[in-house]
Amino acid sequence: MNGKQQIGWGLIGASTIAREFMVDAIRAQAGHEVVAVMSSSAERARQFAAENRIAAAFDSLEALLADPAVQVVYVSTTNELHRAQVLAAARAGKHVLCEKPLALSVSDALDMVRACDAAGVVLATNHHLRNAATHRKLRELVRAGAIGRPLFARVFHAVYLPPHLQGWRLDKPAAGGGVILDITVHDIDTLRFILDAEPVEAVGMSQAAAMAKQGLEDGAMSVVRFDNGVLAQLHDAFTVRHAGTGIEIHGESGSLIGRDVMTQRPIGEIVLRREGGEERIALQHEGLYERGVASFGVAIGGGGEPAATGRDGVRSLAAAIAVAEACRSGSAVRIPDLPL
Ligand code: NDP
């Protein structure tokens, strides 16, 4: 793609995440513009377009994909719709940035990766936490041996689902609701990134304490074993107002403590604790979504991989599905070695 040309984005889904973060993140890139939006409701599409100064509004996927101004798409509909929309975008030759979880099953997510490969388009997953200065620094420090061999990780991601998001996540199993597909999947992706390791087995328990209905969970605690031996403890919830978020990586010779790091915003801090004392690590915060879109822009220009690839999306989903299955069954669940 010619760097001087405008890269036109089509939004598939008039969603909250698009409105609150992604439209701005796309426009923050030189040469990128949001040129179209598609909703299942013509009225919602028109309203979203007007509020966000987007030229074209569609109520059909085919119409958006046929718009010659659209070269890439961002898919942020509810989760059950991602697969068919990504397959259609790939058929139309559009690069795709798709929201997590990529799909509701591993086989659907694999179909998405294969379709994009076959069409020669880039598929990226919007696992934004990889782009945080905090998590990038944690990865760098672990790789540099700052804590010796990593043994354990703990993720604190029990938060309060804000009222304007208290919809399908809580009462629509068919849309991929529940805290595990919403939040645990992010924890797993972040740990895969920091540890450079793959999850192999999961156990867990979940609860429906206050908000979730229809068999969905609004809280979960799980333990995931990685192929480098690390045991990771994950605490995720929609129901907890005051816990704060964090991540800890504990190694043979030191511990990395991250606070306020499981978030959409460029905030948080990291402390390295080892013999001789405690050191606060310097960080240069940057917008997480902006950085993710920037890496996607480089990837569609042939310059490398996006921050989280389609394959990352599949692997992180497979582990989240294993956690969900472990919570349902009460048994340990193996995470399959995927044909990727
Ligand atoms: P929303 O509920 O805001 O949007 C999802 C869909 O709901 C939209 O595509 C829209 O359908 C429909 N919708 C929106 N408003 C209304 C309304 N007033 N009445 C009826 N339907 C409506 O979801 P989110 O933005 O929270 O999540 C969307 C996707 O993004 C999910 O896959 C989620 O997992 C992911 N996500 C990722 C985050 C990240 O940090 N990576 C953060 C938040 C979400 P239509 O398009 O047809 O109008």
Side-chain angles (χ1 to χ4, degrees):
M1 207 169 281
N2 181 341
K4 288 183 193 132
Q5 266 175 353
Q6 173 175 286
I7 295 170
W9 287 69
L11 307 183
I12 300 176
S15 67
T16 308
I17 180 73
R19 190 178 65 247
E20 291 183 349
F21 288 96
M22 294 304 289
V23 168
D24 286 348
I26 292 166
R27 288 185 169 145
Q29 316 301 320
H32 291 239
E33 182 51 282
V34 181
V35 296
V37 59
M38 175 251 147
S39 164
S40 58
S41 142
E43 176 50 31
R44 205 154 53 237
R46 261 196 305 276
Q47 194 180 343
F48 192 99
E51 285 170 6
N52 295 283
R53 297 174 285 106
I54 297 170
F58 300 106
D59 65 357
S60 97
L61 181 59
E62 293 66 34
L64 178 126
L65 293 174
D67 183 340
V70 172
Q71 282 119 29
V72 306
V73 297
Y74 166 58
V75 176
S76 66
T77 47
T78 48
N79 306 323
E80 83 285 15
L81 301 174
H82 295 174
R83 176 185 181 274
Q85 290 167 339
V86 169
L87 262 50
R91 275 196 302 274
K94 315 292 180 188
H95 300 290
V96 183
L97 173 58
C98 183
E99 269 305 341
K100 49 47 69 174
L102 268 192
L104 299 188
S105 73
V106 174
S107 68
D108 281 0
L110 284 169
D111 288 348
M112 293 156 76
V113 167
R114 290 183 185 128
C116 289
D117 282 354
V121 297
V122 172
L123 173 62
T125 313
N126 205 23
H127 275 303
H128 64 294
L129 289 164
R130 288 170 172 245
N131 303 303
T134 46
H135 298 299
R136 288 186 290 117
K137 183 60 82 176
L138 287 168
R139 174 181 164 94
E140 188 185 308
L141 288 165
V142 169
R143 286 162 81 104
I147 58 169
R149 181 163 73 105
L151 300 174
F152 297 100
R154 304 184 208 170
V155 181
F156 309 93
H157 207 163
V159 295
Y160 190 74
L161 188 66
H164 70 287
L165 294 182
Q166 291 179 17
W168 57 270
R169 283 175 174 80
L170 301 174
D171 61 8
K172 289 224 172 72
V179 78
I180 295 172
L181 284 186
D182 201 49
I183 297 186
T184 309
V185 71
H186 274 312
D187 301 349
I188 291 165
D189 189 73
T190 306
L191 287 172
R192 291 182 54 245
F193 174 70
I194 292 172
L195 298 170
D196 217 356
E198 293 301 335
V200 292
E201 190 176 11
V203 294
M205 288 191 189
S206 62
Q207 65 178 197
M211 295 180 177
K213 302 185 184 104
Q214 308 292 339
L216 290 173
E217 74 290 338
D218 53 26
M221 285 185 158
S222 52
V223 175
V224 176
R225 186 194 306 279
F226 282 77
D227 61 4
N228 62 353
V230 168
L231 291 181
Q233 171 190 307
L234 317 177
H235 178 198
D236 302 302
F238 289 149
T239 49
V240 175
R241 291 174 191 264
H242 303 295
T245 72
I247 196 165
E248 298 176 357
I249 315 289
H250 301 285
E252 275 182 328
S253 60
S255 288
L256 284 161
I257 315 289
R259 287 290 177 256
D260 295 328
V261 295
M262 306 308 287
T263 166
Q264 297 177 288
R265 289 173 297 133
I267 58 169
E269 59 180 53
I270 298 172
V271 165
L272 170 59
R273 219 180 268 159
R274 51 188 172 176
E275 192 147 342
E278 195 169 283
E279 180 190 346
R280 187 162 167 181
I281 304 296
L283 296 167
Q284 282 204 305
H285 288 292
E286 281 178 64
L288 283 65
Y289 297 101
E290 283 79 356
R291 206 181 151 92
V293 176
S295 81
F296 180 75
V298 171
I300 65 176
E305 293 223 303
T309 61
R311 286 172 170 74
D312 286 314
V314 182
R315 290 193 188 282
S316 299
L317 173 66
I321 287 174
V323 168
E325 178 54 26
C327 291
R328 257 192 306 272
S329 66
S331 304
V333 175
R334 297 286 308 170
I335 297 160
D337 190 14
L338 296 168
L340 281 168

